[in-house]
Amino acid sequence: MKALEGVKILDFTHVQSGPTCTQLLGWFGADVIKVERPGVGDATRKQLVDVPGADSLYFTMLNHNKRSLTLNTKTPEGKAVLEKLILECDVMVENFAPGALDRMGFGWDRVHELNPRMIMASVKGFGPGPYEDCKVYENVAQCAGGSASTTGFLDGPPLVTGAQIGDSGTGLHLALGIVTALYHREKSGEGQRVLAAMQDGVLNLCRVKLRDQQRLAAGPLKEYSQYGEDIPFGDATPRAGNDSGGGQPGRILKCKGWETDPNAYTYFITQAAVWQKICDVIGKPEWKEDPEYATPDARLPRLGEVFSTIEEWTMTKTKFEVMDICNPLDIPVGPILSMKELAEEPSLRDTGTIVEVDHPERGKYLTVGCPVKLSASPVEVVRSPLLGEHSDEVLAQLGYSADDISGLRSAGAI
Ligand code: COA
């Protein structure tokens, strides 16, 4: 039995943040019924299209293990179906623009009245406050949550990251909120509202940067490269390039082939515990005893020189050779892996982290499988549903007859 088997999710999500959440719940065994507008569906089905006529990868990669029910919830017939779904389901998940559910007539008060056990989970851009009515997409959240101001190089503009911490990150937060609320409901019998605001989710992931903001009051941040470069600190956590951000200094360094390969780099951490081994590997044994280099504190003002010297060595090796040499010595390094390399990595296929899926419209494609592995609830990735593929099935399970269903169809409700 899957961990969430028996849990029914009324999935009103679209685009990325909400679908990330409900896909996870589906992977863990919940029955996820994705409600989509008839003839239209989730907008991402037709965004970034690579195979004409087929659902896009944007959609398919975020909507595995779900059933699709088309329903126009603005028609009286559609509203009646939605009411039945609310009575049947355990969790309703949505990431509409603020106010959309109220306009539809299914705000929290109504949903709670219909089904007091229902957990109603929402992603919004912002929590209560001055921006609560704003529509928000990924990069806006990265900017408003503190990520952009702390990402990039000191002499460049703020940067957004490739990791979708605003959308997918908030979806992850929401999934945790939902299973927590389900656990609470087991004991209390009561449903509740769960809100994950994208700004809050991003800020949570940028927690260490708020740490550094407060540390600034005690003086310059010595582990930031700019300290050794004598660049004064301002009044806010600065951008720190590829500095490690933790107590063990690290940087991205060039490896053999960097002139032509944009990913011929390694991350290299000068962990204090293995400093002596690093000195031997890079051909600087004299640094082991030299008081200017022997201790972490002594090295902080000269990190530029230390990493340039290590880079002279890494540039003579490929990123994988660096890994092969440093790993047995417990020196923490990591190759910069491209999406191409990750897609082709056999060990990720073996663990189900990268999965090949077959789709009736588009054929085979790769997706990222469930990143969390439960030993008693293994995940089987099932292709995303076609628009309305399960409408008849879901409606029949709700008690609608074949005649009822064709009536709903002719009324434009499904
Ligand atoms: N039947 C009938 N109407 C439906 C429907 C259905 N099955 N599903 C959606 N709709 C309607 C909504 O009720 C809404 O109508 P209204 O504006 O007349 O009240 C309309 O479709 C559009 O929904 P909305 O959420 O506003 O979509 P959008 O494309 O305008 O905005 C976002 C997209 C993502 C900006 C917005 O949904 C949002 O800010 N969401 C919260 C934050 C978030 O999750 N952002 C990240 C997305 S990855």
Side-chain angles (χ1 to χ4, degrees), residues 115-143:
N115 180 357
R117 286 174 59 81
M118 172 68 87
I119 289 155
M120 187 166 146
S122 305
V123 169
K124 293 288 168 265
F126 294 93
Y131 306 120
E132 65 188 309
D133 291 330
C134 298
K135 286 187 174 181
V136 168
Y137 282 106
E138 170 70 49
N139 287 351
V140 174
Q142 287 201 27
C143 294

PDB file of all heavy atoms in Angstrom, residues 115-143:
ATOM      1  N   ASN A 115     -17.792  20.674   3.628  1.00  0.00           N
ATOM      2  CA  ASN A 115     -17.037  19.513   4.115  1.00  0.00           C
ATOM      3  C   ASN A 115     -16.046  19.969   5.195  1.00  0.00           C
ATOM      4  O   ASN A 115     -14.930  20.390   4.888  1.00  0.00           O
ATOM      5  CB  ASN A 115     -16.286  18.861   2.944  1.00  0.00           C
ATOM      6  CG  ASN A 115     -15.475  17.657   3.390  1.00  0.00           C
ATOM      7  OD1 ASN A 115     -15.414  17.331   4.583  1.00  0.00           O
ATOM      8  ND2 ASN A 115     -14.832  16.996   2.440  1.00  0.00           N
ATOM      9  N   PRO A 116     -16.469  19.889   6.459  1.00  0.00           N
ATOM     10  CA  PRO A 116     -15.611  20.396   7.554  1.00  0.00           C
ATOM     11  C   PRO A 116     -14.282  19.644   7.674  1.00  0.00           C
ATOM     12  O   PRO A 116     -13.358  20.138   8.300  1.00  0.00           O
ATOM     13  CB  PRO A 116     -16.458  20.186   8.808  1.00  0.00           C
ATOM     14  CG  PRO A 116     -17.854  19.951   8.327  1.00  0.00           C
ATOM     15  CD  PRO A 116     -17.750  19.390   6.944  1.00  0.00           C
ATOM     16  N   ARG A 117     -14.193  18.451   7.074  1.00  0.00           N
ATOM     17  CA  ARG A 117     -12.927  17.703   7.134  1.00  0.00           C
ATOM     18  C   ARG A 117     -11.964  18.102   6.010  1.00  0.00           C
ATOM     19  O   ARG A 117     -10.812  17.670   5.981  1.00  0.00           O
ATOM     20  CB  ARG A 117     -13.198  16.194   7.035  1.00  0.00           C
ATOM     21  CG  ARG A 117     -13.780  15.608   8.313  1.00  0.00           C
ATOM     22  CD  ARG A 117     -14.169  14.140   8.111  1.00  0.00           C
ATOM     23  NE  ARG A 117     -13.056  13.291   7.712  1.00  0.00           N
ATOM     24  CZ  ARG A 117     -12.145  12.780   8.534  1.00  0.00           C
ATOM     25  NH1 ARG A 117     -12.217  13.042   9.820  1.00  0.00           N
ATOM     26  NH2 ARG A 117     -11.174  12.012   8.075  1.00  0.00           N
ATOM     27  N   MET A 118     -12.461  18.910   5.084  1.00  0.00           N
ATOM     28  CA  MET A 118     -11.642  19.271   3.918  1.00  0.00           C
ATOM     29  C   MET A 118     -10.446  20.157   4.315  1.00  0.00           C
ATOM     30  O   MET A 118     -10.584  21.117   5.073  1.00  0.00           O
ATOM     31  CB  MET A 118     -12.520  20.011   2.914  1.00  0.00           C
ATOM     32  CG  MET A 118     -11.780  20.620   1.748  1.00  0.00           C
ATOM     33  SD  MET A 118     -11.105  19.363   0.643  1.00  0.00           S
ATOM     34  CE  MET A 118     -12.489  19.083  -0.445  1.00  0.00           C
ATOM     35  N   ILE A 119      -9.302  19.793   3.780  1.00  0.00           N
ATOM     36  CA  ILE A 119      -8.107  20.635   3.932  1.00  0.00           C
ATOM     37  C   ILE A 119      -7.987  21.458   2.649  1.00  0.00           C
ATOM     38  O   ILE A 119      -8.022  20.893   1.553  1.00  0.00           O
ATOM     39  CB  ILE A 119      -6.863  19.764   4.153  1.00  0.00           C
ATOM     40  CG1 ILE A 119      -6.936  19.135   5.553  1.00  0.00           C
ATOM     41  CG2 ILE A 119      -5.575  20.575   3.999  1.00  0.00           C
ATOM     42  CD1 ILE A 119      -6.158  17.868   5.698  1.00  0.00           C
ATOM     43  N   MET A 120      -7.920  22.769   2.797  1.00  0.00           N
ATOM     44  CA  MET A 120      -7.863  23.611   1.606  1.00  0.00           C
ATOM     45  C   MET A 120      -6.496  24.287   1.549  1.00  0.00           C
ATOM     46  O   MET A 120      -6.152  25.092   2.408  1.00  0.00           O
ATOM     47  CB  MET A 120      -8.963  24.661   1.664  1.00  0.00           C
ATOM     48  CG  MET A 120      -9.068  25.464   0.395  1.00  0.00           C
ATOM     49  SD  MET A 120     -10.630  26.364   0.411  1.00  0.00           S
ATOM     50  CE  MET A 120     -10.106  27.811  -0.439  1.00  0.00           C
ATOM     51  N   ALA A 121      -5.724  23.899   0.560  1.00  0.00           N
ATOM     52  CA  ALA A 121      -4.322  24.331   0.508  1.00  0.00           C
ATOM     53  C   ALA A 121      -4.087  25.243  -0.682  1.00  0.00           C
ATOM     54  O   ALA A 121      -4.491  24.931  -1.802  1.00  0.00           O
ATOM     55  CB  ALA A 121      -3.424  23.097   0.406  1.00  0.00           C
ATOM     56  N   SER A 122      -3.427  26.355  -0.427  1.00  0.00           N
ATOM     57  CA  SER A 122      -3.238  27.356  -1.478  1.00  0.00           C
ATOM     58  C   SER A 122      -1.792  27.807  -1.586  1.00  0.00           C
ATOM     59  O   SER A 122      -1.098  27.972  -0.579  1.00  0.00           O
ATOM     60  CB  SER A 122      -4.067  28.612  -1.164  1.00  0.00           C
ATOM     61  OG  SER A 122      -5.415  28.291  -0.968  1.00  0.00           O
ATOM     62  N   VAL A 123      -1.378  28.045  -2.829  1.00  0.00           N
ATOM     63  CA  VAL A 123      -0.150  28.816  -3.068  1.00  0.00           C
ATOM     64  C   VAL A 123      -0.601  30.201  -3.487  1.00  0.00           C
ATOM     65  O   VAL A 123      -1.479  30.354  -4.336  1.00  0.00           O
ATOM     66  CB  VAL A 123       0.686  28.209  -4.218  1.00  0.00           C
ATOM     67  CG1 VAL A 123       1.800  29.174  -4.624  1.00  0.00           C
ATOM     68  CG2 VAL A 123       1.276  26.875  -3.822  1.00  0.00           C
ATOM     69  N   LYS A 124       0.007  31.207  -2.871  1.00  0.00           N
ATOM     70  CA  LYS A 124      -0.210  32.587  -3.315  1.00  0.00           C
ATOM     71  C   LYS A 124       1.167  33.237  -3.423  1.00  0.00           C
ATOM     72  O   LYS A 124       2.148  32.732  -2.855  1.00  0.00           O
ATOM     73  CB  LYS A 124      -1.083  33.361  -2.308  1.00  0.00           C
ATOM     74  CG  LYS A 124      -2.521  32.837  -2.229  1.00  0.00           C
ATOM     75  CD  LYS A 124      -3.347  33.186  -3.465  1.00  0.00           C
ATOM     76  CE  LYS A 124      -4.663  32.439  -3.545  1.00  0.00           C
ATOM     77  NZ  LYS A 124      -4.615  31.216  -4.341  1.00  0.00           N
ATOM     78  N   GLY A 125       1.243  34.342  -4.129  1.00  0.00           N
ATOM     79  CA  GLY A 125       2.532  35.008  -4.274  1.00  0.00           C
ATOM     80  C   GLY A 125       3.024  35.560  -2.946  1.00  0.00           C
ATOM     81  O   GLY A 125       4.174  35.386  -2.550  1.00  0.00           O
ATOM     82  N   PHE A 126       2.106  36.230  -2.249  1.00  0.00           N
ATOM     83  CA  PHE A 126       2.445  36.869  -0.976  1.00  0.00           C
ATOM     84  C   PHE A 126       1.439  36.459   0.091  1.00  0.00           C
ATOM     85  O   PHE A 126       0.287  36.147  -0.230  1.00  0.00           O
ATOM     86  CB  PHE A 126       2.387  38.395  -1.113  1.00  0.00           C
ATOM     87  CG  PHE A 126       3.443  38.957  -2.038  1.00  0.00           C
ATOM     88  CD1 PHE A 126       3.161  39.155  -3.384  1.00  0.00           C
ATOM     89  CD2 PHE A 126       4.704  39.286  -1.566  1.00  0.00           C
ATOM     90  CE1 PHE A 126       4.120  39.675  -4.243  1.00  0.00           C
ATOM     91  CE2 PHE A 126       5.679  39.805  -2.421  1.00  0.00           C
ATOM     92  CZ  PHE A 126       5.389  40.006  -3.761  1.00  0.00           C
ATOM     93  N   GLY A 127       1.855  36.490   1.328  1.00  0.00           N
ATOM     94  CA  GLY A 127       0.934  36.281   2.437  1.00  0.00           C
ATOM     95  C   GLY A 127       0.160  37.569   2.689  1.00  0.00           C
ATOM     96  O   GLY A 127       0.304  38.561   1.954  1.00  0.00           O
ATOM     97  N   PRO A 128      -0.679  37.575   3.755  1.00  0.00           N
ATOM     98  CA  PRO A 128      -1.452  38.780   4.062  1.00  0.00           C
ATOM     99  C   PRO A 128      -0.550  39.993   4.209  1.00  0.00           C
ATOM    100  O   PRO A 128       0.528  39.909   4.791  1.00  0.00           O
ATOM    101  CB  PRO A 128      -2.116  38.427   5.398  1.00  0.00           C
ATOM    102  CG  PRO A 128      -2.153  36.929   5.411  1.00  0.00           C
ATOM    103  CD  PRO A 128      -0.933  36.477   4.675  1.00  0.00           C
ATOM    104  N   GLY A 129      -0.986  41.110   3.673  1.00  0.00           N
ATOM    105  CA  GLY A 129      -0.167  42.322   3.731  1.00  0.00           C
ATOM    106  C   GLY A 129      -0.345  43.143   2.476  1.00  0.00           C
ATOM    107  O   GLY A 129      -1.280  42.910   1.704  1.00  0.00           O
ATOM    108  N   PRO A 130       0.568  44.078   2.253  1.00  0.00           N
ATOM    109  CA  PRO A 130       0.360  45.036   1.158  1.00  0.00           C
ATOM    110  C   PRO A 130       0.316  44.420  -0.242  1.00  0.00           C
ATOM    111  O   PRO A 130      -0.237  45.015  -1.147  1.00  0.00           O
ATOM    112  CB  PRO A 130       1.563  45.988   1.288  1.00  0.00           C
ATOM    113  CG  PRO A 130       2.569  45.264   2.120  1.00  0.00           C
ATOM    114  CD  PRO A 130       1.789  44.349   3.010  1.00  0.00           C
ATOM    115  N   TYR A 131       0.904  43.251  -0.416  1.00  0.00           N
ATOM    116  CA  TYR A 131       0.973  42.683  -1.773  1.00  0.00           C
ATOM    117  C   TYR A 131       0.077  41.472  -1.970  1.00  0.00           C
ATOM    118  O   TYR A 131       0.200  40.748  -2.954  1.00  0.00           O
ATOM    119  CB  TYR A 131       2.428  42.303  -2.092  1.00  0.00           C
ATOM    120  CG  TYR A 131       3.411  43.429  -1.896  1.00  0.00           C
ATOM    121  CD1 TYR A 131       4.468  43.309  -0.987  1.00  0.00           C
ATOM    122  CD2 TYR A 131       3.276  44.616  -2.595  1.00  0.00           C
ATOM    123  CE1 TYR A 131       5.356  44.350  -0.793  1.00  0.00           C
ATOM    124  CE2 TYR A 131       4.166  45.668  -2.408  1.00  0.00           C
ATOM    125  CZ  TYR A 131       5.198  45.528  -1.502  1.00  0.00           C
ATOM    126  OH  TYR A 131       6.072  46.550  -1.312  1.00  0.00           O
ATOM    127  N   GLU A 132      -0.816  41.232  -1.017  1.00  0.00           N
ATOM    128  CA  GLU A 132      -1.566  39.967  -1.051  1.00  0.00           C
ATOM    129  C   GLU A 132      -2.423  39.778  -2.299  1.00  0.00           C
ATOM    130  O   GLU A 132      -2.756  38.658  -2.653  1.00  0.00           O
ATOM    131  CB  GLU A 132      -2.434  39.814   0.208  1.00  0.00           C
ATOM    132  CG  GLU A 132      -3.530  40.836   0.352  1.00  0.00           C
ATOM    133  CD  GLU A 132      -4.216  40.727   1.713  1.00  0.00           C
ATOM    134  OE1 GLU A 132      -4.620  39.625   2.094  1.00  0.00           O
ATOM    135  OE2 GLU A 132      -4.348  41.766   2.383  1.00  0.00           O
ATOM    136  N   ASP A 133      -2.770  40.873  -2.979  1.00  0.00           N
ATOM    137  CA  ASP A 133      -3.631  40.732  -4.154  1.00  0.00           C
ATOM    138  C   ASP A 133      -2.846  40.567  -5.453  1.00  0.00           C
ATOM    139  O   ASP A 133      -3.433  40.512  -6.535  1.00  0.00           O
ATOM    140  CB  ASP A 133      -4.558  41.961  -4.279  1.00  0.00           C
ATOM    141  CG  ASP A 133      -5.588  41.981  -3.157  1.00  0.00           C
ATOM    142  OD1 ASP A 133      -5.953  40.871  -2.689  1.00  0.00           O
ATOM    143  OD2 ASP A 133      -5.985  43.077  -2.737  1.00  0.00           O
ATOM    144  N   CYS A 134      -1.523  40.511  -5.371  1.00  0.00           N
ATOM    145  CA  CYS A 134      -0.707  40.484  -6.600  1.00  0.00           C
ATOM    146  C   CYS A 134      -0.654  39.089  -7.207  1.00  0.00           C
ATOM    147  O   CYS A 134      -0.571  38.088  -6.503  1.00  0.00           O
ATOM    148  CB  CYS A 134       0.721  40.900  -6.293  1.00  0.00           C
ATOM    149  SG  CYS A 134       0.860  42.559  -5.663  1.00  0.00           S
ATOM    150  N   LYS A 135      -0.641  39.055  -8.542  1.00  0.00           N
ATOM    151  CA  LYS A 135      -0.319  37.813  -9.251  1.00  0.00           C
ATOM    152  C   LYS A 135       1.201  37.670  -9.245  1.00  0.00           C
ATOM    153  O   LYS A 135       1.912  38.664  -9.393  1.00  0.00           O
ATOM    154  CB  LYS A 135      -0.797  37.887 -10.696  1.00  0.00           C
ATOM    155  CG  LYS A 135      -2.296  37.759 -10.866  1.00  0.00           C
ATOM    156  CD  LYS A 135      -2.659  37.664 -12.335  1.00  0.00           C
ATOM    157  CE  LYS A 135      -4.144  37.399 -12.512  1.00  0.00           C
ATOM    158  NZ  LYS A 135      -4.534  37.268 -13.922  1.00  0.00           N
ATOM    159  N   VAL A 136       1.674  36.471  -9.106  1.00  0.00           N
ATOM    160  CA  VAL A 136       3.133  36.283  -8.993  1.00  0.00           C
ATOM    161  C   VAL A 136       3.586  35.070  -9.797  1.00  0.00           C
ATOM    162  O   VAL A 136       2.935  34.026  -9.785  1.00  0.00           O
ATOM    163  CB  VAL A 136       3.522  36.110  -7.504  1.00  0.00           C
ATOM    164  CG1 VAL A 136       4.953  35.631  -7.358  1.00  0.00           C
ATOM    165  CG2 VAL A 136       3.342  37.426  -6.749  1.00  0.00           C
ATOM    166  N   TYR A 137       4.704  35.233 -10.486  1.00  0.00           N
ATOM    167  CA  TYR A 137       5.371  34.109 -11.150  1.00  0.00           C
ATOM    168  C   TYR A 137       6.758  33.916 -10.521  1.00  0.00           C
ATOM    169  O   TYR A 137       7.271  34.777  -9.805  1.00  0.00           O
ATOM    170  CB  TYR A 137       5.519  34.382 -12.653  1.00  0.00           C
ATOM    171  CG  TYR A 137       4.247  34.151 -13.437  1.00  0.00           C
ATOM    172  CD1 TYR A 137       3.502  35.226 -13.910  1.00  0.00           C
ATOM    173  CD2 TYR A 137       3.792  32.871 -13.707  1.00  0.00           C
ATOM    174  CE1 TYR A 137       2.333  35.017 -14.649  1.00  0.00           C
ATOM    175  CE2 TYR A 137       2.632  32.649 -14.435  1.00  0.00           C
ATOM    176  CZ  TYR A 137       1.908  33.722 -14.909  1.00  0.00           C
ATOM    177  OH  TYR A 137       0.762  33.511 -15.624  1.00  0.00           O
ATOM    178  N   GLU A 138       7.367  32.790 -10.882  1.00  0.00           N
ATOM    179  CA  GLU A 138       8.656  32.368 -10.335  1.00  0.00           C
ATOM    180  C   GLU A 138       9.655  33.492 -10.045  1.00  0.00           C
ATOM    181  O   GLU A 138      10.100  33.688  -8.922  1.00  0.00           O
ATOM    182  CB  GLU A 138       9.288  31.350 -11.307  1.00  0.00           C
ATOM    183  CG  GLU A 138      10.728  30.981 -11.036  1.00  0.00           C
ATOM    184  CD  GLU A 138      10.887  30.155  -9.781  1.00  0.00           C
ATOM    185  OE1 GLU A 138      10.170  29.177  -9.615  1.00  0.00           O
ATOM    186  OE2 GLU A 138      11.761  30.493  -8.965  1.00  0.00           O
ATOM    187  N   ASN A 139      10.041  34.208 -11.091  1.00  0.00           N
ATOM    188  CA  ASN A 139      11.134  35.158 -10.901  1.00  0.00           C
ATOM    189  C   ASN A 139      10.761  36.324  -9.997  1.00  0.00           C
ATOM    190  O   ASN A 139      11.614  36.882  -9.301  1.00  0.00           O
ATOM    191  CB  ASN A 139      11.638  35.670 -12.254  1.00  0.00           C
ATOM    192  CG  ASN A 139      12.441  34.589 -12.979  1.00  0.00           C
ATOM    193  OD1 ASN A 139      12.751  33.555 -12.399  1.00  0.00           O
ATOM    194  ND2 ASN A 139      12.762  34.824 -14.230  1.00  0.00           N
ATOM    195  N   VAL A 140       9.470  36.665  -9.995  1.00  0.00           N
ATOM    196  CA  VAL A 140       9.027  37.723  -9.082  1.00  0.00           C
ATOM    197  C   VAL A 140       9.254  37.245  -7.643  1.00  0.00           C
ATOM    198  O   VAL A 140       9.739  37.990  -6.785  1.00  0.00           O
ATOM    199  CB  VAL A 140       7.536  38.052  -9.316  1.00  0.00           C
ATOM    200  CG1 VAL A 140       7.031  39.029  -8.272  1.00  0.00           C
ATOM    201  CG2 VAL A 140       7.320  38.591 -10.721  1.00  0.00           C
ATOM    202  N   ALA A 141       8.926  35.983  -7.399  1.00  0.00           N
ATOM    203  CA  ALA A 141       9.099  35.438  -6.048  1.00  0.00           C
ATOM    204  C   ALA A 141      10.573  35.391  -5.663  1.00  0.00           C
ATOM    205  O   ALA A 141      10.949  35.698  -4.528  1.00  0.00           O
ATOM    206  CB  ALA A 141       8.493  34.037  -5.966  1.00  0.00           C
ATOM    207  N   GLN A 142      11.429  35.012  -6.621  1.00  0.00           N
ATOM    208  CA  GLN A 142      12.865  34.981  -6.314  1.00  0.00           C
ATOM    209  C   GLN A 142      13.358  36.380  -5.932  1.00  0.00           C
ATOM    210  O   GLN A 142      14.229  36.531  -5.076  1.00  0.00           O
ATOM    211  CB  GLN A 142      13.659  34.486  -7.526  1.00  0.00           C
ATOM    212  CG  GLN A 142      13.513  32.994  -7.789  1.00  0.00           C
ATOM    213  CD  GLN A 142      14.649  32.448  -8.637  1.00  0.00           C
ATOM    214  OE1 GLN A 142      15.751  32.984  -8.633  1.00  0.00           O
ATOM    215  NE2 GLN A 142      14.384  31.375  -9.355  1.00  0.00           N
ATOM    216  N   CYS A 143      12.797  37.380  -6.592  1.00  0.00           N
ATOM    217  CA  CYS A 143      13.227  38.757  -6.302  1.00  0.00           C
ATOM    218  C   CYS A 143      12.653  39.230  -4.972  1.00  0.00           C
ATOM    219  O   CYS A 143      13.354  39.828  -4.163  1.00  0.00           O
ATOM    220  CB  CYS A 143      12.781  39.679  -7.435  1.00  0.00           C
ATOM    221  SG  CYS A 143      13.622  39.293  -8.987  1.00  0.00           S
TER     222      CYS A 143
END
